[in-house]
Amino acid sequence: MATQHSRTAARLMISPSVLLLLCWMIVPLAMTVYFSTLRYNLLMPGSNPFVGWENYQYFLTDPAFLTALVNTLLLVGGVLIITVIGGILLGMLLDQPMWGQGIVRILVIAPFFVMPTVSALVWKNMFMNPVNGLFAYLAEFLGLQPFDFLSQAPLLSIIGIVSWQWLPFATLILLTAMQSLDQEQLEAAEMDGAGAFSRFIYIVLPHLSRAVTVVILIQTIFLLSVFAEILVTTNGGPGNASTNLTYLVYAESLLRFDVGTGSAGGVVAIVLANIVAIFLMRMIGKNLDA
Amino acid sequence: MGRITLDQVTKSFGAVEVIPPLNLTIDEGEFVVFVGPSGCGKSTLLRLIAGLEDVSSGEIRIDREVATHLPPAKRGLAMVFQSYALYPHMSVRKNIAFPLKMAGMDKAEQDKRVDYAAGVLNLTDYLDRRPGQLSGGQRQRVAIGRAIVREPAAFLFDEPLSNLDAALRVGMRLEISELHERLKTTMIYVTHDQVEAMTMADKIVVLHAGVIEQVGSPLELYHTPRNKFVAGFIGSPKMNILEGPVAAQHNASAIGVRPEHLASSAESGTWEGRVGVSEHLGSDTFFHVHDTGLAETITVRASGEMPLRHGDRIFLTPDPDKIHRFDAEGLRMP
Ligand SMILES: Nc1ncnc2c1ncn2[C@@H]1O[C@H](COP(=O)(O)OP(=O)(O)OP(=O)(O)O)[C@@H](O)[C@H]1O
Ligand SMILES: [Mg+2]
């Protein structure tokens, strides 16, 4: 859009959708902020008096808050590490010419199409169950004590389940990035005396940096709000061991029926998500520049 | 250093034999050009020498050492790719230093060599840029720089100039020839442009469907092409190949006359025809002559002042000493 005229026209044309999106975003946000300043409990109907920062104070000083915050970061960080490293390794594997490549690729992508609740239930009941789960059978077969994943290592188990869901996404993006690497570059590096490992470090990894950035940014957005997996497996427990911020907000507003504190938690979560976003963009955003 | 011998080398991709058994010796310090039409196996041959492809059978020797199964890095050769294959995320300096870094050379020596190469190739001002910020010609020079810092036994070039515009190509052609004079290193250069081949080579290898048709100096190939294929491939515009009665007059199955060895006239001559398209280059004019009864078209070079137009009558007279005769197999007859 080069001319003044076409720029003006373009602004006019996109304004309706911008306005719509703005309302779409602003209205719920404003409502949440508004509710967060009220004493608003569904168990105590009646007037909902304005209480200022009380809900925030209550939410932030709740000992569960810090646990939830740490759990959220551990969950996001853990899944990112597993999916990025696993995605690079799987991508390299799938990039090799092999028999039945098409089928294998579909199999690898499949977990992404399974709904979070379903996959979490499958993991919970078919794999991790200490009595009937496959892992328990395996442990017994090896003569070991079955491990009760969800009660002994709840957060780790959830990290595992969520990683399983997101690994296909990372693999897919990283695989396409790998396929776009100019083979002549690799050959040139080979002629330059770079072994397989050096080629990976100096040629493949830098080439992947942009794709890795995209994977990290997109996944972070979704991982900050992991909920279904926790709800159907551990219910945030034992205690608060696997409660993240999203789950804490849910617990406040729908288990304790405290809409006010729940809203305050939501606002806190928004602020924290933005802090994470700014932090991420500072750290890896430059990879996206051409 | 720099003598390369191919002994009965073959290459097949699956069932397709791209290179039937092939013998070739490239001497130390020679500038050898592989030419041939597209798909004739030039790149494949170069990649076999480089070690980027495995030979199906036969032996490759570099400096009398058997290199057939050596990995590319161990052969001491450097290659310049058609797409340049620069590392986009590294600065020009890092690109050029990469092979030295991989060889574990110390930093001071690396810098010395990079600075020397940059000086030779006029890249000193660009050392801190990324490849993406360079022009095509500069990128090409970086690729060459990356090759020369290693001081290889031989350079391999795969159509290095085909991505450049005509003017730049002429310039780079001279620079590469100059570089060869300066370094005296063996160079193997692949191209399908016979002008590049003629102007740069000490020795031209003409390939056709994986088979070496002829090996010789540029003028040898021009004056005494071994067969019809080489005769048609070397020289621009192409040699006119005439068959039938006119060839029989010369006791041959076909005769070849180059456009520059035909005298043209508006009044009289041996063969008569009608002017079709004429290409005016200023100094010369190429007429495409039809209706001679000898061949579909005969191309002739005339002086730039020849005042003939489309549809005019033209008479052609071949220079009797410059007629090439070919037998039924297409081989040259003495
Ligand atoms: N990896 C491969 N698998 C199968 N066939 C191949 C492969 N690489 C090359 N070929 C075939 O080998 C033949 C020679 O290819 P090559 O690339 O050497 O041609 P070329 O002479 O370099 O042509 P050009 O001038 O177009 O670059 C072609 O017919 C090509 O189809
Ligand atoms: Mg080629």
Side-chain angles (χ1 to χ4, degrees):
Chain A
M1 272 167 278
T3 65
Q4 185 69 42
H5 182 73
S6 59
R7 264 197 300 267
T8 317
R11 273 194 210 120
L12 259 167
M13 299 292 205
I14 60 172
S15 54
S17 48
V18 169
L19 284 178
L20 186 71
L21 283 174
L22 205 64
C23 294
W24 196 269
M25 197 191 83
I26 287 292
V27 172
L29 182 65
M31 300 275 286
T32 309
V33 172
Y34 172 62
F35 287 150
S36 72
T37 58
L38 303 182
R39 179 172 301 145
Y40 185 0
N41 194 313
L42 298 177
L43 293 179
M44 292 180 273
S47 68
N48 296 321
F50 178 81
V51 291
W53 296 104
E54 193 187 280
N55 286 325
Y56 288 92
Q57 199 185 358
Y58 178 71
F59 186 81
L60 290 173
T61 52
D62 182 352
F65 169 70
L66 210 61
T67 320
L69 184 63
V70 171
N71 284 346
T72 307
L73 295 180
L74 283 179
L75 180 62
V76 172
V79 175
L80 281 181
I81 290 172
I82 294 175
T83 50
V84 168
I85 293 178
I88 289 176
L89 295 179
L90 263 179
M92 285 201 297
L93 203 65
L94 293 181
D95 200 20
Q96 307 302 317
M98 59 177 170
W99 188 82
Q101 203 167 38
I103 301 267
V104 173
R105 282 188 188 162
I106 291 174
L107 286 180
V108 168
I109 294 159
F112 202 48
F113 296 108
V114 180
M115 282 161 270
T117 38
V118 175
S119 72
L121 281 176
V122 167
W123 275 90
K124 179 184 180 181
N125 295 328
M126 287 184 63
F127 290 103
M128 293 176 168
N129 188 299
V131 180
N132 297 317
L134 275 180
F135 292 150
Y137 277 117
L138 198 68
E140 266 168 35
F141 179 76
L142 294 173
L144 302 171
Q145 189 74 24
F147 188 72
D148 188 358
F149 288 90
L150 289 173
S151 50
Q152 280 166 296
L155 191 62
L156 269 180
S157 305
I158 289 175
I159 289 177
I161 295 172
V162 177
S163 299
W164 181 79
Q165 284 168 8
W166 282 95
L167 192 57
F169 173 77
T171 305
L172 206 62
I173 299 231
L174 294 171
L175 174 64
T176 43
M178 269 174 218
Q179 286 169 336
S180 73
L181 175 58
D182 181 9
Q183 287 306 307
E184 284 199 345
Q185 261 181 47
L186 288 177
E187 287 178 347
E190 198 177 342
M191 299 238 24
D192 284 345
F197 186 70
S198 299
R199 286 203 295 276
F200 177 72
I201 297 288
Y202 292 108
I203 312 295
V204 178
L205 267 192
H207 176 77
L208 290 183
S209 65
R210 194 179 298 191
V212 169
T213 309
V214 169
V215 167
I216 291 180
L217 291 180
I218 294 184
Q219 287 200 21
T220 305
I221 294 171
F222 287 93
L223 294 177
L224 280 171
S225 58
V226 164
F227 174 73
E229 292 85 345
I230 299 176
L231 182 73
V232 302
T233 52
T234 63
N235 267 316
N240 288 323
S242 59
T243 298
N244 67 352
L245 272 182
T246 323
Y247 195 83
L248 188 64
V249 171
Y250 160 77
E252 286 294 347
S253 33
L254 292 172
L255 297 183
R256 276 168 228 138
F257 301 102
D258 187 346
V259 177
T261 309
S263 300
V267 174
V268 169
I270 292 170
V271 172
L272 287 175
N274 277 291
I275 291 174
V276 170
I278 290 170
F279 189 64
L280 273 181
M281 285 310 284
R282 276 279 162 81
M283 229 170 29
I284 55 177
K286 65 177 191 306
N287 285 345
L288 293 179
D289 301 340
Chain B
M1 285 251 311
R3 183 187 165 93
I4 298 171
T5 315
L6 307 187
D7 193 2
Q8 293 293 321
V9 166
T10 69
K11 176 68 188 176
S12 308
F13 289 109
V16 190
E17 189 172 62
V18 175
I19 303 208
L22 177 146
N23 296 303
L24 179 67
T25 302
I26 292 160
D27 281 322
E28 152 104 64
E30 249 181 346
F31 197 122
V32 177
V33 174
F34 294 171
V35 283
S38 190
C40 68
K42 308 180 292 288
S43 299
T44 306
L45 194 54
L46 199 70
R47 292 165 59 83
L48 290 176
I49 296 173
L52 294 172
E53 301 273 1
D54 292 324
V55 296
S56 300
S57 69
E59 196 174 85
I60 296 175
R61 288 189 296 277
I62 299 175
D63 296 331
R64 289 192 201 80
E65 257 178 71
V66 178
T68 318
H69 298 292
L70 280 186
K74 296 267 159 60
R75 298 191 183 195
L77 309 174
M79 184 148 167
V80 176
F81 292 83
Q82 179 174 357
S83 68
Y84 317 129
L86 299 179
Y87 312 129
H89 50 275
M90 297 185 202
S91 66
V92 169
R93 176 181 289 281
K94 289 217 174 113
N95 260 285
I96 298 180
F98 188 71
L100 307 178
K101 183 171 169 180
M102 288 299 112
M105 188 178 282
D106 71 75
K107 196 80 182 68
E109 176 69 15
Q110 281 186 27
D111 283 342
K112 211 178 91 198
R113 291 216 197 175
V114 171
D115 289 333
Y116 172 75
V120 170
L121 295 162
N122 276 330
L123 285 170
T124 314
D125 295 341
Y126 308 107
L127 280 176
D128 294 319
R129 293 210 199 161
R130 295 276 177 100
Q133 300 163 324
L134 298 177
S135 73
Q138 289 162 348
R139 279 181 220 183
Q140 187 60 64
R141 287 208 287 268
V142 176
I144 295 173
R146 196 171 62 187
I148 65 178
V149 284
R150 295 176 52 198
E151 301 181 349
F155 291 101
L156 312 177
F157 293 94
D158 191 357
E159 308 204 17
L161 307 185
S162 56
N163 289 345
L164 304 180
D165 70 51
L168 205 51
R169 208 179 302 175
V170 174
M172 285 302 297
R173 206 161 79 196
L174 291 175
E175 278 186 42
I176 293 177
S177 297
E178 191 107 333
L179 195 68
H180 180 241
E181 288 301 317
R182 194 150 159 181
L183 302 175
K184 303 265 185 255
T185 312
T186 312
M187 291 192 177
I188 305 178
Y189 188 103
V190 165
T191 178
H192 56 245
D193 179 349
Q194 52 107 3
V195 178
E196 270 173 32
M198 295 294 283
T199 51
M200 301 172 85
D202 294 326
K203 185 157 103 182
I204 297 182
V205 176
V206 182
L207 286 165
H208 179 37
V211 178
I212 295 183
E213 296 285 351
Q214 190 170 4
V215 179
S217 72
L219 290 184
E220 220 173 301
L221 264 56
Y222 178 82
H223 290 300
T224 53
R226 202 173 67 84
N227 57 27
K228 268 203 290 196
F229 178 81
V230 179
F233 197 78
I234 299 289
S236 166
K238 276 174 73 143
M239 179 189 279
N240 299 298
I241 303 283
L242 310 174
E243 285 165 352
V246 65
Q249 282 170 17
H250 291 87
N251 300 320
S253 139
I255 59 168
V257 190
R258 295 195 184 278
E260 53 271 38
H261 298 148
L262 280 168
S264 49
S265 145
E267 292 88 34
S268 64
T270 319
W271 303 327
E272 183 188 344
R274 195 173 44 73
V275 175
V277 174
S278 21
E279 297 170 310
H280 298 281
L281 302 182
S283 59
D284 299 319
T285 300
F286 295 113
F287 292 114
H288 295 259
V289 180
H290 303 288
D291 300 337
T292 51
L294 305 168
E296 179 93 15
T297 352
I298 293 183
T299 314
V300 54
R301 187 179 82 180
S303 97
E305 279 92 52
M306 192 85 172
L308 292 176
R309 293 161 162 278
H310 195 278
D312 284 352
R313 214 160 246 301
I314 185 170
F315 293 90
L316 307 174
T317 314
D319 180 343
D321 298 338
K322 302 271 172 67
I323 293 178
H324 303 264
R325 302 189 305 140
F326 300 101
D327 64 16
E329 267 90 63
L331 289 178
R332 177 184 189 81
M333 295 165 66

